[in-house]
Amino acid sequence: MASLPSPDDLSAALPSAVREVEDFVSTSGWDQAPQLFALVATADLLARQPGLAGQLDPDAPLTPIAQDPLPAGDLGEALAAIEWPDIVAGCALSQEIVVLPPEAEAEIAEADSDLGRIQRLAAEHPQRQEARLVAAVLRNGAGACVLRVRGGGDEPDQLIERPDLAPNLVSALYDTLS
């Protein structure tokens, strides 16, 4: 039986797991609801459920496991209600977002906290870009994010990978692990 990976090994494997989640979600195309994944140490999962050996990559330190759909409504409220069992080393969330250029911030700031108006401004902005964000965090606080910006016409999708893309979402995901 393989030994369980150290927290540092899991942290090093997190960006790869985030890319795996994004690849999985992207196979279903665009216009998807947010999707939540548990991240489990593969060695731990195989130790508990050896029958999965033929379905999992034993060399991958982390295995993402898709969860049931999140309830409709406020994503923050849905995340605040989630608690994970100890076997879950971390979690990831995929969600589609609209990315606006920096100059759009002034327009958004004028909308104050009117969420409906903010959403309309973002959806109607001529320079908006559709994107899919996958953010993940481990119990040890390590985080990782991947953003797929939807290409248009002849332009391919663009992948951006940085751990600091969505600090508020990473923090909200970390709170589900506490």
Side-chain angles (χ1 to χ4, degrees):
M1 175 170 61
S3 63
L4 295 179
S6 72
D8 287 343
D9 292 339
L10 292 180
S11 295
L14 186 58
S16 178
V18 171
R19 287 188 301 273
E20 182 179 347
V21 167
E22 203 291 319
D23 287 344
F24 172 80
V25 172
S26 71
T27 62
S28 296
W30 291 91
D31 303 319
Q32 298 181 53
Q35 189 169 1
L36 188 64
F37 295 80
L39 299 176
V40 180
T42 304
D44 195 11
L45 187 57
L46 290 172
R48 292 172 185 242
Q49 297 186 23
L52 295 176
Q55 300 172 37
L56 302 178
D57 177 359
D59 296 326
L62 288 166
T63 296
I65 302 170
Q67 302 299 293
D68 290 335
L70 291 164
D74 185 83
L75 182 59
E77 289 177 15
L79 291 176
I82 293 172
E83 294 181 24
W84 297 101
D86 290 341
I87 188 175
V88 174
C91 60
L93 178 84
S94 170
Q95 71 173 24
E96 293 184 12
I97 62 173
V98 173
V99 178
L100 297 174
E103 55 271 13
E105 288 182 26
E107 294 175 52
I108 299 297
E110 291 174 10
D112 291 325
S113 60
D114 182 350
L115 184 59
R117 184 165 179 235
I118 291 170
Q119 289 173 334
R120 276 191 312 281
L121 286 171
E124 296 169 358
H125 197 282
Q127 293 178 298
R128 77 182 180 286
Q129 291 183 288
E130 296 176 1
R132 179 182 304 113
L133 172 67
V134 178
V137 67
L138 296 175
R139 287 188 188 274
N140 68 8
C145 298
V146 170
L147 181 71
R148 177 182 293 274
V149 180
R150 190 175 191 171
D154 294 335
E155 292 184 34
D157 291 353
Q158 178 185 8
L159 280 177
I160 301 167
E161 186 173 349
R162 288 196 351 237
D164 61 346
L165 285 174
N168 292 341
L169 180 55
V170 168
S171 177
L173 291 172
Y174 182 74
D175 288 346
T176 70
L177 297 166
S178 310

